[in-house]
Amino acid sequence: MRDTKQVPAFDLTVTRPDILGAEFLGEGTNFALFSDHATKVELCLFDDSGEHELHRLELPDMEGGVWFGYLPGIGPGQVYGYRVHGPYAPEQGHRFNPNKLLLDPYARELRGQIKWDDALHGYQVGEDDLTFDTRDSAAFMPKAVVVDAKFDWDTDRAIRTPWQSTMIYESHVKGLTQLHPGVPEADRGTFRGLGSDAVIEHLHRIGATAIELLPIHAFANDRFLVERGLSNYWGYSTLSFFAPHAPYLKSGQIREVKEAIRKLHKAGIEVILDVVYNHTAEGNELGQTMSFRGIDNASYYLLSPDNPRHGFDTTGTGNTLNVAHPVVLRMVMDSLRYWVEAMHVDGFRFDLASTLGREAQGFERDGSFFNAIRQDPILSSAKLIAEPWDIGEGGYQVGGYRWPFREWNDKFRDDTRAFWRRDPGLLPAMAERLSGSPVQFNHSHRPATSSVNFVAAHDGFTLWDTVSFNDKHNDANGEENRDGHDHNLSDNLGAEGATDDPGIIAARVRRVRAMLATVMLSQGVPMILAGDDLGNTQDGNNNAYCQDNAISWLEWDKAREDILTAVQALAAFRKDVPLSQSRFGASPDDAQDRQPAFLWLHPRGGTMEEGDWQDAELRCLGLHQATPGGPNLLIVINAGEDAEFALPEGEWTRRIDTSAEQVEQDHSVTGTLTVPWQTVMALVAAGTPQA
């Protein structure tokens, strides 16, 4: 047993400044922390509980702003934190306060939770932020833990599912598993539940090839939420970019994450992480001092050029991470590589990615962050998805990223919702969405899989709520229904919320199936929000970020089989055809080898004419698609009343009909096709080669 009374001594012959964080090297641990403006850095060692500080040791060396030291005999399980000395000069951007225990930005595992107290602030709460607080914050802080990286991955390798074969299921570790009857009760809400047979069986059933997880990096439950009896359910308040969120770990150990990923990989399912590198949990200058602010505020955060006392906030959270700084950029890159190489994740969805591309002159798609990823042989081969906006000036950048990034396409979401709501004049927009949004993405050699297509995501109404509510109902959030946006493009179809009216329920099911079919049958990469395949509701809450309860958890016992079987049939069809192409379609005259040929058809027969596109009341359209090496396809959408559609010459097999009780079809048709209201159909020409 390690002697905790003897003061450990640094070995200066072994210590290394090039390995940031706490790295166990076999017989001891190397500690290294970057702080360009510090005057002294103290390493604090705690007992196993993290409640008692045993030793406070000054890191013995510094090079290039990296403070470092090697401690023999210190290994996995050691709990630690830092105290950093330097100027407390807020008007110059410096907020050093050694009374505040600080979390290592490279911590791999955390022990304990934040206990909200005014002592966590570097200034005296109730006074302005120029004051200085002398209280010790250690009792209220989670601590870092030295870890052993060893893990038997067996034969686990990256799956690398091609983008044109990818279907994403956006999920929450807890929300997906908390009420699942097939997940052992003790494993619900954790990574063990995520890797359960029951979850994998469902992913296989709906054809998902990748699960995209809302933030799993350790995050803070914001104080204002805790004081209202709520919590940060979504997790967009990062505390550590390397450590997983402890409540998602049944044992508290990171090996649970690895075990879940290994099991999902064995089932052929990729794991994508929603990551938040644009801001942290520390808020603005009136926020807490828990890590970056106390380590080196002026290096880790973007500060106002006019008054460095204040942050430069493009995220709406109070602070913006300064990824233009080379060492901060390195931290983000190290984090990404860690999750790929050590944790075997397959890709990332970057929250508010436009912030990551902000340089001195504004957003730059060739900025240092994006270029660093594009040149990295490890990261450039992972799946990379941008949320292509932030709230800053010039932040909306849909279509503005370079390969290999894909992008969430909110234009697809909005146009699809409005079209199926029967808004007029949307056929030209829907032609764009069905063909992969080429106006946005067909440039700079980008593939036709650049658009991630969705009609609902974690932020906003669920798909079922889109057809059940005209207005948001966010009263449970405690903000008098002021939070959340009002641009829902929804339609309750006759009753606000739940109803027993069979006609309204049938209409809702039909519209949901039509919108899901639009996602699954369009060019690009389909993404379905977990629960939309079940008909899940959040009771009209379109901003459930703070609802860690039945509002957000999936109610598996209320799953709508008529929606679930539709998703299953659509996924099978998309895989069987195959529908998605890597190259954008062209008119038959312009199509080249290996490039699909697209032809837009009017219900009367023949191609759409210029005047047809201007017909605001036309709501039925056909896409005739000839795919190299695959069958000729016909996708027909009809958001209006029942319509007669003149088929191209020849025999066709109707494979998908979202208006039918059984969406999956196998019916031969010729001549004229009756397309019922609010319906999507997919047909395959007889005699064309099958994939």
Side-chain angles (χ1 to χ4, degrees), residues 83 97-101 117-121 123-125 132-138 140:
R83 298 180 189 273
N97 188 335
N99 299 294
K100 310 305 168 185
L101 188 80
D117 189 272
D118 288 349
L120 291 168
H121 294 259
Y123 66 97
Q124 297 172 26
V125 175
F132 186 80
D133 188 89
T134 60
R135 287 172 292 183
D136 191 342
S137 67
F140 311 104

PDB file of all heavy atoms in Angstrom, residues 83 97-101 117-121 123-125 132-138 140:
ATOM      1  N   ARG A  83      -3.141  24.081  -8.483  1.00  0.00           N
ATOM      2  CA  ARG A  83      -3.312  25.478  -8.077  1.00  0.00           C
ATOM      3  C   ARG A  83      -2.283  26.281  -8.863  1.00  0.00           C
ATOM      4  O   ARG A  83      -1.101  25.923  -8.890  1.00  0.00           O
ATOM      5  CB  ARG A  83      -3.108  25.643  -6.570  1.00  0.00           C
ATOM      6  CG  ARG A  83      -4.115  24.857  -5.722  1.00  0.00           C
ATOM      7  CD  ARG A  83      -3.878  25.056  -4.232  1.00  0.00           C
ATOM      8  NE  ARG A  83      -4.704  24.145  -3.453  1.00  0.00           N
ATOM      9  CZ  ARG A  83      -5.949  24.397  -3.060  1.00  0.00           C
ATOM     10  NH1 ARG A  83      -6.489  25.570  -3.381  1.00  0.00           N
ATOM     11  NH2 ARG A  83      -6.635  23.517  -2.367  1.00  0.00           N
ATOM     12  N   ASN A  97      -5.797  32.604  -9.370  1.00  0.00           N
ATOM     13  CA  ASN A  97      -6.173  32.605  -7.955  1.00  0.00           C
ATOM     14  C   ASN A  97      -5.822  31.236  -7.379  1.00  0.00           C
ATOM     15  O   ASN A  97      -6.572  30.272  -7.566  1.00  0.00           O
ATOM     16  CB  ASN A  97      -7.662  32.895  -7.779  1.00  0.00           C
ATOM     17  CG  ASN A  97      -8.059  33.088  -6.330  1.00  0.00           C
ATOM     18  OD1 ASN A  97      -7.395  32.586  -5.415  1.00  0.00           O
ATOM     19  ND2 ASN A  97      -9.150  33.814  -6.096  1.00  0.00           N
ATOM     20  N   PRO A  98      -4.690  31.100  -6.695  1.00  0.00           N
ATOM     21  CA  PRO A  98      -4.251  29.789  -6.199  1.00  0.00           C
ATOM     22  C   PRO A  98      -5.139  29.219  -5.097  1.00  0.00           C
ATOM     23  O   PRO A  98      -4.941  28.064  -4.694  1.00  0.00           O
ATOM     24  CB  PRO A  98      -2.835  30.068  -5.679  1.00  0.00           C
ATOM     25  CG  PRO A  98      -2.812  31.528  -5.386  1.00  0.00           C
ATOM     26  CD  PRO A  98      -3.716  32.165  -6.401  1.00  0.00           C
ATOM     27  N   ASN A  99      -6.115  29.986  -4.624  1.00  0.00           N
ATOM     28  CA  ASN A  99      -7.079  29.446  -3.665  1.00  0.00           C
ATOM     29  C   ASN A  99      -8.081  28.512  -4.344  1.00  0.00           C
ATOM     30  O   ASN A  99      -8.815  27.809  -3.664  1.00  0.00           O
ATOM     31  CB  ASN A  99      -7.833  30.590  -2.982  1.00  0.00           C
ATOM     32  CG  ASN A  99      -6.902  31.515  -2.216  1.00  0.00           C
ATOM     33  OD1 ASN A  99      -6.300  31.110  -1.225  1.00  0.00           O
ATOM     34  ND2 ASN A  99      -6.770  32.752  -2.688  1.00  0.00           N
ATOM     35  N   LYS A 100      -8.094  28.524  -5.652  1.00  0.00           N
ATOM     36  CA  LYS A 100      -9.059  27.721  -6.400  1.00  0.00           C
ATOM     37  C   LYS A 100      -8.378  26.472  -6.961  1.00  0.00           C
ATOM     38  O   LYS A 100      -7.402  26.571  -7.709  1.00  0.00           O
ATOM     39  CB  LYS A 100      -9.675  28.542  -7.543  1.00  0.00           C
ATOM     40  CG  LYS A 100     -10.199  29.908  -7.101  1.00  0.00           C
ATOM     41  CD  LYS A 100     -11.199  29.802  -5.951  1.00  0.00           C
ATOM     42  CE  LYS A 100     -11.483  31.155  -5.323  1.00  0.00           C
ATOM     43  NZ  LYS A 100     -12.360  31.048  -4.147  1.00  0.00           N
ATOM     44  N   LEU A 101      -8.908  25.315  -6.563  1.00  0.00           N
ATOM     45  CA  LEU A 101      -8.386  24.061  -7.112  1.00  0.00           C
ATOM     46  C   LEU A 101      -8.878  23.928  -8.544  1.00  0.00           C
ATOM     47  O   LEU A 101     -10.066  24.134  -8.825  1.00  0.00           O
ATOM     48  CB  LEU A 101      -8.844  22.860  -6.294  1.00  0.00           C
ATOM     49  CG  LEU A 101      -8.177  21.549  -6.721  1.00  0.00           C
ATOM     50  CD1 LEU A 101      -6.780  21.458  -6.115  1.00  0.00           C
ATOM     51  CD2 LEU A 101      -9.013  20.347  -6.329  1.00  0.00           C
ATOM     52  N   ASP A 117     -21.011  26.314  -4.866  1.00  0.00           N
ATOM     53  CA  ASP A 117     -20.733  27.174  -3.725  1.00  0.00           C
ATOM     54  C   ASP A 117     -20.046  28.433  -4.253  1.00  0.00           C
ATOM     55  O   ASP A 117     -19.326  28.387  -5.267  1.00  0.00           O
ATOM     56  CB  ASP A 117     -19.829  26.447  -2.716  1.00  0.00           C
ATOM     57  CG  ASP A 117     -19.680  27.200  -1.412  1.00  0.00           C
ATOM     58  OD1 ASP A 117     -18.767  28.042  -1.317  1.00  0.00           O
ATOM     59  OD2 ASP A 117     -20.479  26.941  -0.488  1.00  0.00           O
ATOM     60  N   ASP A 118     -20.236  29.535  -3.564  1.00  0.00           N
ATOM     61  CA  ASP A 118     -19.605  30.787  -3.996  1.00  0.00           C
ATOM     62  C   ASP A 118     -18.086  30.703  -3.993  1.00  0.00           C
ATOM     63  O   ASP A 118     -17.414  31.492  -4.680  1.00  0.00           O
ATOM     64  CB  ASP A 118     -20.059  31.941  -3.096  1.00  0.00           C
ATOM     65  CG  ASP A 118     -21.514  32.334  -3.357  1.00  0.00           C
ATOM     66  OD1 ASP A 118     -22.083  31.862  -4.362  1.00  0.00           O
ATOM     67  OD2 ASP A 118     -22.071  33.105  -2.543  1.00  0.00           O
ATOM     68  N   ALA A 119     -17.523  29.731  -3.241  1.00  0.00           N
ATOM     69  CA  ALA A 119     -16.063  29.589  -3.187  1.00  0.00           C
ATOM     70  C   ALA A 119     -15.483  29.160  -4.529  1.00  0.00           C
ATOM     71  O   ALA A 119     -14.261  29.271  -4.745  1.00  0.00           O
ATOM     72  CB  ALA A 119     -15.666  28.583  -2.106  1.00  0.00           C
ATOM     73  N   LEU A 120     -16.316  28.696  -5.446  1.00  0.00           N
ATOM     74  CA  LEU A 120     -15.830  28.301  -6.763  1.00  0.00           C
ATOM     75  C   LEU A 120     -15.497  29.507  -7.638  1.00  0.00           C
ATOM     76  O   LEU A 120     -14.879  29.348  -8.691  1.00  0.00           O
ATOM     77  CB  LEU A 120     -16.870  27.427  -7.470  1.00  0.00           C
ATOM     78  CG  LEU A 120     -17.087  26.029  -6.873  1.00  0.00           C
ATOM     79  CD1 LEU A 120     -18.325  25.380  -7.477  1.00  0.00           C
ATOM     80  CD2 LEU A 120     -15.870  25.150  -7.086  1.00  0.00           C
ATOM     81  N   HIS A 121     -15.879  30.680  -7.208  1.00  0.00           N
ATOM     82  CA  HIS A 121     -15.613  31.890  -7.976  1.00  0.00           C
ATOM     83  C   HIS A 121     -14.293  32.505  -7.553  1.00  0.00           C
ATOM     84  O   HIS A 121     -13.942  32.525  -6.367  1.00  0.00           O
ATOM     85  CB  HIS A 121     -16.736  32.908  -7.775  1.00  0.00           C
ATOM     86  CG  HIS A 121     -18.050  32.467  -8.338  1.00  0.00           C
ATOM     87  ND1 HIS A 121     -18.529  32.914  -9.544  1.00  0.00           N
ATOM     88  CD2 HIS A 121     -18.979  31.604  -7.863  1.00  0.00           C
ATOM     89  CE1 HIS A 121     -19.703  32.357  -9.786  1.00  0.00           C
ATOM     90  NE2 HIS A 121     -20.008  31.559  -8.780  1.00  0.00           N
ATOM     91  N   TYR A 123     -13.637  35.644  -7.745  1.00  0.00           N
ATOM     92  CA  TYR A 123     -13.922  36.952  -7.163  1.00  0.00           C
ATOM     93  C   TYR A 123     -14.962  36.790  -6.053  1.00  0.00           C
ATOM     94  O   TYR A 123     -15.524  35.711  -5.861  1.00  0.00           O
ATOM     95  CB  TYR A 123     -14.434  37.916  -8.244  1.00  0.00           C
ATOM     96  CG  TYR A 123     -15.786  37.520  -8.810  1.00  0.00           C
ATOM     97  CD1 TYR A 123     -16.960  38.089  -8.325  1.00  0.00           C
ATOM     98  CD2 TYR A 123     -15.897  36.566  -9.817  1.00  0.00           C
ATOM     99  CE1 TYR A 123     -18.208  37.721  -8.821  1.00  0.00           C
ATOM    100  CE2 TYR A 123     -17.126  36.184 -10.315  1.00  0.00           C
ATOM    101  CZ  TYR A 123     -18.282  36.770  -9.813  1.00  0.00           C
ATOM    102  OH  TYR A 123     -19.505  36.388 -10.296  1.00  0.00           O
ATOM    103  N   GLN A 124     -15.246  37.848  -5.342  1.00  0.00           N
ATOM    104  CA  GLN A 124     -16.217  37.815  -4.252  1.00  0.00           C
ATOM    105  C   GLN A 124     -17.621  38.001  -4.823  1.00  0.00           C
ATOM    106  O   GLN A 124     -17.961  39.075  -5.321  1.00  0.00           O
ATOM    107  CB  GLN A 124     -15.910  38.907  -3.233  1.00  0.00           C
ATOM    108  CG  GLN A 124     -14.566  38.738  -2.536  1.00  0.00           C
ATOM    109  CD  GLN A 124     -14.195  39.916  -1.685  1.00  0.00           C
ATOM    110  OE1 GLN A 124     -15.062  40.650  -1.214  1.00  0.00           O
ATOM    111  NE2 GLN A 124     -12.898  40.120  -1.467  1.00  0.00           N
ATOM    112  N   VAL A 125     -18.410  36.923  -4.780  1.00  0.00           N
ATOM    113  CA  VAL A 125     -19.762  36.969  -5.321  1.00  0.00           C
ATOM    114  C   VAL A 125     -20.562  38.028  -4.574  1.00  0.00           C
ATOM    115  O   VAL A 125     -20.520  38.130  -3.350  1.00  0.00           O
ATOM    116  CB  VAL A 125     -20.437  35.592  -5.204  1.00  0.00           C
ATOM    117  CG1 VAL A 125     -21.889  35.671  -5.668  1.00  0.00           C
ATOM    118  CG2 VAL A 125     -19.675  34.551  -6.021  1.00  0.00           C
ATOM    119  N   PHE A 132     -11.185  39.910  -5.249  1.00  0.00           N
ATOM    120  CA  PHE A 132     -10.404  38.668  -5.158  1.00  0.00           C
ATOM    121  C   PHE A 132     -10.935  37.841  -3.989  1.00  0.00           C
ATOM    122  O   PHE A 132     -11.079  38.343  -2.869  1.00  0.00           O
ATOM    123  CB  PHE A 132      -8.928  39.014  -4.943  1.00  0.00           C
ATOM    124  CG  PHE A 132      -7.998  37.835  -4.977  1.00  0.00           C
ATOM    125  CD1 PHE A 132      -7.581  37.292  -6.182  1.00  0.00           C
ATOM    126  CD2 PHE A 132      -7.525  37.260  -3.799  1.00  0.00           C
ATOM    127  CE1 PHE A 132      -6.707  36.211  -6.224  1.00  0.00           C
ATOM    128  CE2 PHE A 132      -6.655  36.177  -3.826  1.00  0.00           C
ATOM    129  CZ  PHE A 132      -6.238  35.655  -5.044  1.00  0.00           C
ATOM    130  N   ASP A 133     -11.251  36.557  -4.262  1.00  0.00           N
ATOM    131  CA  ASP A 133     -11.811  35.683  -3.226  1.00  0.00           C
ATOM    132  C   ASP A 133     -10.733  34.740  -2.704  1.00  0.00           C
ATOM    133  O   ASP A 133     -10.040  34.083  -3.488  1.00  0.00           O
ATOM    134  CB  ASP A 133     -12.967  34.862  -3.800  1.00  0.00           C
ATOM    135  CG  ASP A 133     -13.716  34.088  -2.731  1.00  0.00           C
ATOM    136  OD1 ASP A 133     -14.664  34.647  -2.164  1.00  0.00           O
ATOM    137  OD2 ASP A 133     -13.336  32.928  -2.460  1.00  0.00           O
ATOM    138  N   THR A 134     -10.592  34.636  -1.395  1.00  0.00           N
ATOM    139  CA  THR A 134      -9.516  33.854  -0.782  1.00  0.00           C
ATOM    140  C   THR A 134      -9.958  32.492  -0.284  1.00  0.00           C
ATOM    141  O   THR A 134      -9.149  31.750   0.282  1.00  0.00           O
ATOM    142  CB  THR A 134      -8.910  34.637   0.388  1.00  0.00           C
ATOM    143  OG1 THR A 134      -9.935  34.906   1.372  1.00  0.00           O
ATOM    144  CG2 THR A 134      -8.305  35.954  -0.090  1.00  0.00           C
ATOM    145  N   ARG A 135     -11.221  32.135  -0.478  1.00  0.00           N
ATOM    146  CA  ARG A 135     -11.691  30.843   0.027  1.00  0.00           C
ATOM    147  C   ARG A 135     -11.156  29.688  -0.819  1.00  0.00           C
ATOM    148  O   ARG A 135     -11.037  29.803  -2.038  1.00  0.00           O
ATOM    149  CB  ARG A 135     -13.223  30.813   0.042  1.00  0.00           C
ATOM    150  CG  ARG A 135     -13.847  31.659   1.150  1.00  0.00           C
ATOM    151  CD  ARG A 135     -15.355  31.742   0.998  1.00  0.00           C
ATOM    152  NE  ARG A 135     -15.732  32.517  -0.200  1.00  0.00           N
ATOM    153  CZ  ARG A 135     -17.004  32.781  -0.534  1.00  0.00           C
ATOM    154  NH1 ARG A 135     -17.995  32.316   0.218  1.00  0.00           N
ATOM    155  NH2 ARG A 135     -17.270  33.489  -1.603  1.00  0.00           N
ATOM    156  N   ASP A 136     -10.891  28.563  -0.165  1.00  0.00           N
ATOM    157  CA  ASP A 136     -10.406  27.359  -0.850  1.00  0.00           C
ATOM    158  C   ASP A 136     -11.599  26.641  -1.481  1.00  0.00           C
ATOM    159  O   ASP A 136     -12.596  26.353  -0.801  1.00  0.00           O
ATOM    160  CB  ASP A 136      -9.697  26.447   0.154  1.00  0.00           C
ATOM    161  CG  ASP A 136      -8.944  25.306  -0.520  1.00  0.00           C
ATOM    162  OD1 ASP A 136      -9.237  25.005  -1.696  1.00  0.00           O
ATOM    163  OD2 ASP A 136      -8.072  24.712   0.140  1.00  0.00           O
ATOM    164  N   SER A 137     -11.490  26.342  -2.748  1.00  0.00           N
ATOM    165  CA  SER A 137     -12.606  25.712  -3.468  1.00  0.00           C
ATOM    166  C   SER A 137     -12.495  24.199  -3.557  1.00  0.00           C
ATOM    167  O   SER A 137     -13.380  23.547  -4.129  1.00  0.00           O
ATOM    168  CB  SER A 137     -12.697  26.288  -4.885  1.00  0.00           C
ATOM    169  OG  SER A 137     -11.561  25.902  -5.650  1.00  0.00           O
ATOM    170  N   ALA A 138     -11.431  23.601  -3.002  1.00  0.00           N
ATOM    171  CA  ALA A 138     -11.158  22.171  -3.219  1.00  0.00           C
ATOM    172  C   ALA A 138     -12.317  21.276  -2.804  1.00  0.00           C
ATOM    173  O   ALA A 138     -12.600  20.262  -3.456  1.00  0.00           O
ATOM    174  CB  ALA A 138      -9.884  21.769  -2.493  1.00  0.00           C
ATOM    175  N   PHE A 140     -15.333  21.623  -3.100  1.00  0.00           N
ATOM    176  CA  PHE A 140     -16.499  21.716  -3.977  1.00  0.00           C
ATOM    177  C   PHE A 140     -16.201  21.284  -5.414  1.00  0.00           C
ATOM    178  O   PHE A 140     -17.078  21.327  -6.266  1.00  0.00           O
ATOM    179  CB  PHE A 140     -17.017  23.158  -3.963  1.00  0.00           C
ATOM    180  CG  PHE A 140     -17.180  23.715  -2.580  1.00  0.00           C
ATOM    181  CD1 PHE A 140     -16.257  24.618  -2.056  1.00  0.00           C
ATOM    182  CD2 PHE A 140     -18.236  23.310  -1.777  1.00  0.00           C
ATOM    183  CE1 PHE A 140     -16.398  25.119  -0.775  1.00  0.00           C
ATOM    184  CE2 PHE A 140     -18.386  23.800  -0.489  1.00  0.00           C
ATOM    185  CZ  PHE A 140     -17.470  24.703   0.025  1.00  0.00           C
TER     186      PHE A 140
END
